[in-house]
């Protein structure tokens, strides 16, 4: 019994392909169905949770609408309005009426069943009456914490304040604020504040929702859970600090509504949230992902069972079909194995199928008959080929020896021509380098000559500038000397002015003395001398002013004299320095003349050098041209010689190939004889 090799068995291969073609679509269907169902259920869950969050938000709005109506009723209560108008007019509080209002507020607080953290009226920025037994009466409204109250005083309107913690009870609240207004003055008499207890408000919001067993949490704007259907989370779980949900809360704080996933205590949840646009807290509805994935798992299990049953049934059908297809192929394989062993005496295949396998059997029979005929002809032809191959091999060996001798001689000629070409190339390169150096010397010489000419021009310009500077300095020296003379004259004039000022000072002293004497005489004359006394006083004042002015003039004149003397000294120093400058410039003039003569001499020598280098350059160019022509000729000679050598080598290689081919042909003829002998045709 033959041992079946499953790896190379055609039946196993075809059977496996059929099973794969059945299994792959089913698995694709399984994954697609599971994925689609999972997405559909997830979208349904997100939509349901989003709807729940919006409903909770609407419930909050409904609760506050009711409280708004209650607030409006309280501030429009005629008894309360009259009470605050009386306080405003008289400045006195009727204690009996105040107690009645406090009792009414207490009743309202009790009816709210804990929804109100407090309820109170204010007056003069203080709590006047409250509903919690007077615990907050007298409390002064804080401008930062109760900023909503001070906004109400500026703009009285029914509104709510920001989310805050009560300074009385410490509980989280949302204040509803309204005002009692004096209809005549339009001033706020009192503010009614109803701080709604957020924990109590959200209790009914966080009760477990029957739809899909969803859960609800209420978060304050900072992320702290202030209400939850799981009491263990209230005021303990802070989304902004818990590492599991910190990232989810960051996304929440960036939008007012949305959905996402978060993991809490190792459980992955799907969630939707909405932030109340007025009060700032977040309403978060969520449910475990495993809750809706249970349906997906059940669907996946059902599909897997169907796939297993389908594969088993399809496997049986495929088994019988493949077995029927493989049987005739196996017959062809066995006959082919006999032919491969050299037995060409087997009978022809007898397969009458009309499909592709029948066509294969007919083609196999035709190939079998053709092969038998070819092997018979090869047996007779192989002997003739062997004899011809031996004769060709002997002839090719003689031709190969002659070709080798010719190839070696031409190769030696090619090597010599190549060496000559390299030497001429090196000479040409060295001549090119010499040419470049000589040209560089010529260019540098011309550049030196050009620079010498430019330097000569600049020296001429410098000499002219020095001549001009000497003339200008002489003029400046003369002008400075003239200015010194004028300043000395100015000093003499200032001295005369000082003398004149001294005379004016003496006159002012005399005038003052005369005015004093005139005043004494006028006093003696009595009433008749009163007018003359006034004149004497005015004269005395003028004398005093003249003396003061003359003193100031004297100070100025002294200052001018001091400055004039310093200026004269500076002018003398300047004149001496300008004379030294003239002498230095004249010595520079002589140096410039020497430089100019030297540059003219250098310029002439560089021009002679430039002419000589130009002649050398022309001669080297001619040598370089001749060297290049020699190199070109030697290169062409080497190239032709190499071509001839290559041709001889190719010719020699051809003879060697012919020789090898003839040897190979003889060997193949022998092998062919041996192969033909393996086949049995009779």
């Amino acid at each position: 019994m033959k041992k079946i090799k499953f790896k190379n068995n055609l039946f196993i291969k075809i059977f496996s392909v059929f099973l794969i073609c059945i299994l792959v679509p089913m698995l694709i269907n399984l994954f697609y169905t599971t994925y689609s169902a999972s997405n559909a259920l997830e979208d349904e869950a997100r939509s349901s949770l989003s709807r729940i969050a919006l409903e909770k938000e609407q419930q909050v709005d409904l609760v506050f609408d009711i409280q708004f109506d209650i607030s409006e009723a309280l501030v429009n209560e005629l008894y309360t309005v009259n009470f605050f108008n009386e306080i405003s007019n008289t400045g006195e509080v009727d204690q009996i009426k105040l107690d009645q209002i406090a009792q009414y507020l207490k009743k309202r607080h009790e009816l709210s069943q804990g929804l109100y953290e407090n309820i109170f009226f204010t007056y003069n920025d203080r709590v006047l009456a409250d509903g919690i037994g007077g615990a907050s009466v007298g409390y002064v409204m804080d401008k930062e914490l109760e900023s909503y109250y001070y906004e109400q005083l500026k703009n009285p309107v029914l509104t709510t304040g920001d989310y805050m913690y009560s300074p009385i009870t410490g509980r989280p609240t949302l204040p509803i604020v309204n005002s009692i207004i004096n209809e005549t003055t339009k001033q706020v008499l009192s503010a009614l504040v109803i701080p709604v207890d957020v924990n109590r408000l959200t209790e009914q919001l966080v009760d477990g929702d029957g739809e899909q067993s969803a859960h609800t949490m209420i978060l304050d704007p900072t992320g702290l859970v202030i209400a939850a259907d799981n009491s263990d989370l209230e005021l303990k779980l802070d989304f902004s600090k818990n590492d599991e949900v910190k990232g989810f809360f960051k996304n929440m704080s960036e939008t007012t509504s949305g959905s996402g996933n978060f993991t809490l205590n190792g459980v992955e949840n799907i969630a939707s949230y909405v932030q109340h646009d007025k009060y700032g807290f977040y309403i978060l509805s969520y449910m475990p992902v495993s809750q809706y994935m249970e349906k997906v798992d059940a669907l996946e299990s059902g599909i897997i069972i169907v796939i297993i049953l389908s594969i088993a049934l399809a496997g049986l059908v495929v088994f019988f079909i493949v077995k029927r297809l493989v049987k005739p192929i196996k017959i062809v394989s066995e006959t082919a194995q006999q032919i491969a062993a050299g037995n060409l005496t087997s009978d022809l295949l007898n397969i009458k199928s009309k499909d592709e396998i029948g066509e294969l059997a007919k083609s196999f029979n035709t190939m079998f008959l053709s092969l038998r005929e070819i092997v018979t002809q090869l047996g007779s032809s192989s002997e003739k080929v062997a004899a011809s191959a031996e004769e060709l091999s002997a002839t090719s060996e003689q031709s190969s020896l002659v070709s080798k001798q010719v190839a070696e001689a031409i190769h030696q000629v090619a090597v010599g021509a190549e060496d000559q070409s390299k030497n001429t190339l090196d000479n040409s390169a060295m001549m090119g380098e010499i040419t470049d150096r000589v040209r560089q010397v010529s260019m540098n010489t011309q550049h030196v000559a050009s620079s010498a000419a430019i330097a000569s021009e600049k020296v001429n310009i410098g000499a002219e500038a020095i001549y001009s500077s000497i003339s200008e300095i002489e003029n400046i020296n003369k002008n400075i000397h003239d200015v010194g003379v004028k300043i000395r004259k100015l000093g003499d004039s200032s001295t005369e002015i000082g003398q004149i000022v001294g005379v004016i000072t003496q006159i002012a002293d005399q005038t003052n003395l005369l005015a004093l004497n005139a005043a004494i005489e006028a006093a003696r004359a009595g009433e008749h001398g009163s007018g003359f006394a006034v004149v004497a006083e005015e004269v005395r004042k003028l004398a005093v002013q003249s003396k003061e002015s003359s003193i100031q003039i004297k100070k100025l004149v002294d200052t001018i004299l001091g400055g004039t003397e310093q200026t004269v000294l500076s002018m003398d120093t300047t004149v001496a320095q300008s004379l030294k400058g003239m002498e230095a410039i004249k010595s520079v003039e002589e140096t410039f003349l020497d430089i100019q003569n030297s540059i003219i001499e250098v310029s002439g020598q560089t021009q002679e050098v430039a002419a000589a280098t130009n002649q050398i350059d022309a001669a080297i160019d001619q040598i370089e041209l001749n060297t290049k022509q020699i190199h070109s000729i030697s290169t062409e000679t080497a190239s032709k010689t190499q071509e001839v050598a290559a041709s001889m080598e190719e010719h020699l290689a051809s003879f060697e190939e012919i020789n090898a081919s003839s040897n190979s042909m003889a060997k193949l003829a022998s092998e062919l004889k041996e192969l033909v002998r393996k086949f049995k045709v009779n």
Side-chain angles (χ1 to χ4, degrees), residues 81-93 123 182 185 187-189:
V81 173
N82 290 335
F83 171 74
F84 282 103
N85 278 317
E86 288 178 4
I87 295 176
S88 176
N89 294 330
T90 63
E92 297 179 357
V93 178
Y123 187 77
N182 188 319
T185 62
Q187 292 182 348
V188 176
L189 299 175

Side-chain angles (χ1 to χ4, degrees), residues 503-522:
V503 174
I504 292 171
T505 302
Q506 292 178 359
I507 294 170
D509 291 337
Q510 292 295 328
T511 305
N512 188 16
L513 183 61
L514 292 174
L516 182 61
N517 292 331
I520 294 170
E521 292 298 330

Side-chain angles (χ1 to χ4, degrees), residues 479-677:
N479 292 334
I480 291 172
H481 186 269
D482 294 340
V483 170
V485 173
K486 292 178 180 179
I487 290 174
R488 287 190 182 91
K489 291 180 179 181
L490 180 62
D492 296 337
S493 299
S494 299
T495 303
E496 293 176 359
I497 292 171
Q499 295 174 356
I500 294 169
V501 169
V503 174
I504 292 171
T505 302
Q506 292 178 359
I507 294 170
D509 291 337
Q510 292 295 328
T511 305
N512 188 16
L513 183 61
L514 292 174
L516 182 61
N517 292 331
I520 294 170
E521 292 298 330
R524 290 179 179 176
E527 294 180 359
H528 298 287
S530 61
F532 187 71
V534 172
V535 173
E537 180 62 24
E538 292 298 324
V539 170
R540 190 187 65 80
K541 289 181 181 180
L542 288 174
V544 172
Q545 292 176 356
S546 298
K547 184 177 181 181
E548 291 176 353
S549 298
S550 63
I551 291 170
Q552 293 177 358
I553 292 169
K554 188 176 184 304
K555 289 180 180 179
L556 291 174
V557 169
D558 291 341
T559 303
I560 291 169
L561 285 173
T564 301
E565 289 177 358
Q566 293 179 357
T567 303
V568 170
L569 293 174
S570 299
M571 295 300 284
D572 292 339
T573 304
T574 303
V575 170
Q577 291 177 349
S578 64
L579 290 174
K580 291 181 181 179
M582 286 175 61
E583 293 175 357
I585 290 174
K586 286 178 180 179
S587 64
V588 171
E589 177 185 4
E590 295 175 357
T591 304
F592 262 94
L593 290 175
D594 293 338
I595 293 170
Q596 188 174 12
N597 293 329
S598 299
I599 290 173
I600 291 171
E601 185 179 353
V602 170
S603 178
Q605 292 174 356
T606 52
Q607 288 175 358
E608 292 175 0
V609 173
T613 52
N614 288 332
Q615 293 175 359
I616 295 170
D617 188 20
I620 291 174
D621 287 340
Q622 185 63 37
I623 294 170
E624 185 180 5
L625 179 62
N626 296 335
T627 305
K628 287 181 178 178
Q629 290 177 353
I630 294 170
H631 171 66
S632 176
I633 294 169
S634 61
T635 301
E636 186 176 359
T637 302
S639 177
K640 296 296 182 181
T641 307
Q642 288 174 355
E643 289 178 2
V644 173
S647 299
M648 287 306 298
E649 288 176 356
E650 291 177 359
H651 186 59
L652 178 59
S654 299
F655 274 113
E656 289 176 351
E657 289 177 0
I658 291 169
N659 189 19
S661 298
S662 62
N663 292 331
S664 178
M665 188 181 296
K667 185 177 180 182
L668 288 173
S670 299
E671 292 175 355
L672 185 59
K673 283 182 181 181
E674 296 298 327
L675 289 173
V676 170
R677 288 173 184 171

Side-chain angles (χ1 to χ4, degrees), residues 8 63 67 85 190 264 289 344 379 419 499 516 518 523 604 646 664:
N8 299 320
V63 171
Q67 304 313 314
N85 278 317
S190 175
L264 183 62
V289 172
L344 298 179
D419 292 339
Q499 295 174 356
L516 182 61
S664 178

Side-chain angles (χ1 to χ4, degrees), residues 163-165 172-173 198-199 202 217-227 235 237-240 249 252-253 275 279-283:
Y163 179 91
M164 60 176 289
Y165 288 88
T173 63
V198 175
N199 287 347
T202 55
M217 287 190 292
I218 308 297
L219 284 68
D220 70 6
T222 65
L224 179 65
V225 176
I226 57 177
L235 303 177
L237 175 60
D238 191 337
F239 270 60
S240 65
F249 180 71
M252 285 180 61
S253 60
Q275 183 180 21
Y279 313 126
F281 56 78
Y282 293 92
I283 302 173

Side-chain angles (χ1 to χ4, degrees), residues 257-270:
S257 63
S259 60
N261 290 51
F262 68 89
T263 302
L264 183 62
N265 297 328
V267 178
E268 185 180 2
N269 298 278
I270 183 173

